[in-house]
């Protein structure tokens, strides 16, 4: 699933393709749970609008439109937001990929999974939102309108501080990992990044959150920002279906120190990395480096 770094990478790469351009045509698939705003209304309201900015709130991308409304996009599990001129063969189905030459794999053609297509009046490449498993979401908010999905998000993980984390964890019986995954508290820390940050901070994932010290909270907050920023620099993780909007693959997974390394030696001390379940999620840690 795309996590905060992948969404931020998407924002930075797709932003220049959206900002300042005027939408002249909108195509959608037919109405479904994918559309929190009915497709007919999306087509009517987006056509003719200029995109003023592209922001991110947690894992939501928010395109601010010239008359104050906002187009909100969530990539879900397999959502891909990319230029219609993207050339990645990974965007094609395996059967099509095997039947056409590499030269023919250029310029992605919208298919049944391409739920939103934006075309622009400058005649340049369009922007497509494609989602094979359809856990993504599209929503249009009118000027001043809010939505519970956005309103209930906690502080953005890239802005998390040790003091905020310390305050949020006092008196909490849940594990520190469960609190890091709690989007109402801190938004944007996914499973991989929680494990990696806790390793770097030297704190065991199952530790009761209320017993994590102020100094440890400072280390965890710094480690969360560090792993997220490092992942953004390297283009985001490339686990499963995620593909960067320009068609390139991310490479963060090569820097994992504990996640999905159960039984392998810790890169710092050589102990065997353990896998347990915390907050219903597969969780990885070093029994020696983490306390
Ligand atoms: Zn270790």
């Amino acid at each position: 699933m795309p996590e905060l770094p992948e969404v931020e990478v998407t924002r930075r790469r797709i932003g220049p393709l959206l900002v300042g351009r005027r939408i002249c045509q909108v195509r959608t698939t037919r109405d479904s749970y994918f559309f929190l705003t009915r497709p007919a209304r999306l087509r009517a309201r987006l056509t003719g609008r200029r995109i003023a900015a592209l922001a991110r709130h947690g894992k939501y991308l928010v395109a601010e439109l010239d008359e104050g409304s906002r187009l909100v996009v969530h990539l879900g599990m397999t959502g891909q937001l990319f230029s219609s001129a993207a050339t990645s063969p990974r965007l094609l189905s395996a059967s099509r990929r095997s039947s056409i030459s590499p030269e023919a794999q250029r310029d992605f053609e919208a298919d049944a999974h391409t739920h939103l297509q934006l075309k622009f009046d400058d005649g340049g490449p369009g922007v497509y939102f494609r989602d094979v498993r359809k856990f993504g979401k599209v929503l249009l908010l009118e000027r001043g309108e809010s939505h519970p999905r956005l309103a209930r998000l906690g502080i953005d993980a890239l802005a998390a501080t040790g003091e905020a984390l310390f305050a949020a964890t006092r008196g909490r019986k849940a594990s520190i990992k469960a609190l890091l995954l709690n989007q109402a508290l801190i938004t944007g820390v996914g499973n991989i990044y929680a494990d990696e940050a806790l390793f770097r901070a030297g704190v065991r994932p199952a530790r009761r959150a209320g017993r994590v010290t102020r100094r440890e909270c400072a280390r965890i907050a710094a480690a969360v920002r560090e792993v997220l920023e490092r992942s953004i620099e390297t283009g985001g993780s490339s686990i499963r279906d995620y593909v960067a909007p320009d068609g390139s693959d991310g490479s963060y997974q090569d820097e994992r120190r504990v996640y999905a390394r159960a039984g392998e030696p810790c890169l710092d001390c050589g102990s065997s990395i353990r896998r347990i379940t915390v907050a219903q999620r597969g969780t990885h840690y070093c029994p020696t480096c983490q306390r």
Side-chain angles (χ1 to χ4, degrees):
M1 140 130 47
E3 300 199 34
L4 184 149
E6 289 84 351
V7 179
E8 178 62 18
V9 167
T10 300
R11 189 190 72 79
R12 292 181 189 180
R13 293 193 188 164
I14 211 77
L17 268 172
L18 290 173
V19 176
R21 300 179 78 194
R22 192 172 297 279
I23 300 165
C24 69
Q25 192 185 40
V26 181
R27 283 191 188 160
T28 66
T29 48
R30 62 193 167 90
D31 197 10
S32 70
Y33 55 83
F34 181 86
F35 294 103
L36 297 181
T37 298
R38 305 291 291 266
R41 185 151 162 264
L42 277 180
R43 294 193 296 267
R45 293 286 293 111
L46 291 176
T47 304
R49 298 274 60 84
R50 195 178 62 82
I51 298 170
L54 184 65
R56 179 186 56 76
H57 297 297
K59 297 188 204 174
Y60 290 88
L61 287 171
V62 182
E64 294 163 10
L65 306 176
D66 53 1
E67 33 71 286
S69 58
R70 294 178 293 166
L71 175 67
V72 181
V73 166
H74 193 286
L75 298 174
M77 298 280 285
T78 54
Q80 301 165 319
L81 196 59
F82 56 95
S83 161
S84 63
T87 57
S88 175
R90 289 185 62 192
L91 292 169
L92 302 172
S93 70
S95 54
R96 272 199 69 192
R97 195 158 54 218
S98 59
S99 64
I100 55 179
S101 66
E103 295 77 10
Q105 295 185 7
R106 303 197 161 267
D107 278 16
F108 180 77
E109 224 171 278
D111 59 9
H113 305 297
T114 310
H115 300 296
L116 183 66
Q117 303 176 45
L118 303 177
K119 311 242 164 168
F120 299 92
D121 67 358
D122 57 18
V127 170
Y128 290 169
F129 185 10
R130 180 171 185 264
D131 190 355
V132 172
R133 293 180 65 185
K134 263 174 90 167
F135 290 117
K137 291 280 174 270
V138 174
L139 165 70
L140 185 81
L141 293 175
E142 298 297 343
R143 177 192 286 273
E145 191 184 357
S146 188
H147 190 275
R149 282 172 175 268
L150 291 177
R152 66 174 171 236
L153 295 177
I155 50 169
D156 193 89
L158 279 179
T161 65
E163 278 309 304
L165 186 61
F166 184 71
T169 50
R170 290 313 89 189
R172 302 294 286 257
K173 290 181 182 167
S175 66
I176 182 66
K177 176 163 176 182
L179 290 202
L180 287 181
L181 294 177
N182 181 342
Q183 301 296 306
L185 224 57
I186 300 183
T187 183
V189 186
N191 199 38
I192 301 172
Y193 300 104
D195 283 6
E196 294 296 322
L198 287 169
F199 173 77
R200 281 162 178 76
V203 175
R204 289 198 186 190
R207 279 263 301 277
R208 189 165 156 164
R211 298 219 176 117
V212 175
T213 67
R214 174 176 257 129
R215 181 179 286 187
E216 286 170 331
C217 283
R219 287 211 307 263
I220 293 168
V224 163
R225 292 194 305 269
E226 187 187 303
V227 294
L228 292 174
E229 275 163 12
R230 180 64 194 142
S231 181
I232 290 165
E233 280 170 24
T234 57
S237 159
S238 182
I239 310 282
R240 293 163 44 126
D241 295 301
Y242 175 72
V243 61
D246 60 0
S248 64
D249 296 345
S251 57
Y252 181 74
Q253 59 182 351
D254 301 325
E255 297 191 12
R256 287 177 288 110
R257 296 198 205 160
V258 286
Y259 187 82
R261 293 192 67 242
E264 293 176 40
C266 171
L267 301 173
D268 284 3
C269 75
S271 299
S272 192
I273 299 297
R274 286 190 190 159
R275 184 186 191 280
I276 55 173
T277 300
V278 176
Q280 290 98 49
R281 307 294 299 272
T283 296
H284 312 77
Y285 74 99
C286 171
T288 305
C289 295
Q290 289 169 264
R291 295 284 156 188

